[in-house]
């Protein structure tokens, strides 16, 4: 599925940005860490919008059982966004919290890629995929999907 491939690529970019920011912190390059963390937040915000308005919404429309899996993921999106927006990386405790958030992002991604993505392949029909792709496009104005 092209959409799932794009979401996976976005996950990889987010993980790489987070890891690069942690390495910048480790090297004492606070300016670089801040820049990378800001890029991480921008990457995640468009990614989350596409997921929530598209894939997640379509899954929720098929069966309420998906809410048990999707609602906690959306909560995690909001919590990480709030943290990334308000954090001050000059503070050592915040740097540690950022490291933990980057680590936790791996677990969050695994829940999506190992559970929801496979479930979507067997659950959604063509019209629902079209709708999910349209949501991705709205969340990524001016960008094209990888498959094009």
């Amino acid at each position: 599925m092209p959409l799932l491939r794009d979401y996976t690529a976005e996950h990889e970019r987010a993980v790489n940005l987070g890891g690069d920011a942690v390495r910048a912190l480790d090297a004492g390059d606070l300016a670089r860490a801040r820049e990378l963390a800001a890029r991480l937040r921008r990457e995640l915000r468009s990614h989350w919008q596409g997921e929530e308005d598209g894939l997640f919404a379509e899954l929720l429309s098929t069966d309420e059982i998906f809410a048990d899996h999707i609602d906690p993921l959306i909560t995690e999106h909001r919590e990480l966004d709030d943290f990334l927006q308000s954090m001050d990386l000059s503070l050592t405790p915040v740097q540690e919290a950022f490291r933990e958030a980057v680590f936790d992002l791996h677990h969050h991604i695994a829940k999506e890629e190992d559970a929801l993505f496979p479930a979507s392949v067997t659950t959604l029909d063509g019209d629902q995929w079209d709708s999910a792709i349209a949501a991705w496009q709205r969340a990524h104005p001016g960008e094209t999907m990888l498959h094009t």
Side-chain angles (χ1 to χ4, degrees):
M1 285 291 163
L3 180 61
L4 298 181
R5 183 180 52 213
D6 280 46
Y7 283 146
T8 300
E10 291 171 2
H11 285 160
E12 290 172 8
R13 284 194 301 270
V15 165
N16 290 338
L17 286 166
D20 289 347
V22 167
R23 285 184 284 284
L25 286 173
D26 292 343
D29 189 346
L30 188 57
R32 178 86 173 130
R34 285 179 173 144
E35 172 198 339
L36 290 163
R39 287 177 49 199
L40 171 63
R41 182 170 182 251
R42 286 190 302 274
E43 178 75 32
L44 288 173
R45 291 193 85 189
S46 61
H47 171 77
W48 292 332
Q49 181 185 346
E51 273 184 336
E52 292 173 17
D53 294 349
L55 187 69
F56 290 5
E58 292 303 326
L59 285 169
L60 288 168
S61 75
T62 65
D63 193 327
E64 64 186 43
I65 191 77
F66 286 111
D68 293 339
H69 303 282
I70 291 172
D71 291 348
L73 293 172
I74 292 172
T75 298
E76 290 173 11
H77 291 173
R78 297 298 174 275
E79 289 171 352
L80 181 55
D81 186 55
D82 289 346
F83 173 70
L84 292 173
Q85 180 179 8
S86 66
M87 70 180 182
D88 179 354
L89 283 178
S90 68
L91 304 172
T92 301
V94 175
Q95 291 178 10
E96 291 308 312
F98 179 74
R99 285 181 175 87
E100 185 176 323
V102 169
F103 180 79
D104 290 345
L105 184 59
H106 290 271
H107 295 291
H108 175 91
I109 289 169
K111 288 184 258 183
E112 292 179 354
E113 291 184 359
D114 297 342
L116 284 182
F117 288 6
S120 69
V121 172
T122 60
T123 302
L124 301 182
D125 65 26
D127 289 339
Q128 290 170 309
W129 281 110
D130 289 345
S131 179
I133 289 169
W136 183 93
Q137 291 168 329
R138 287 189 303 276
H140 299 80
E143 295 181 37
T144 57
M145 295 184 75
L146 292 174
H147 77 286
T148 58

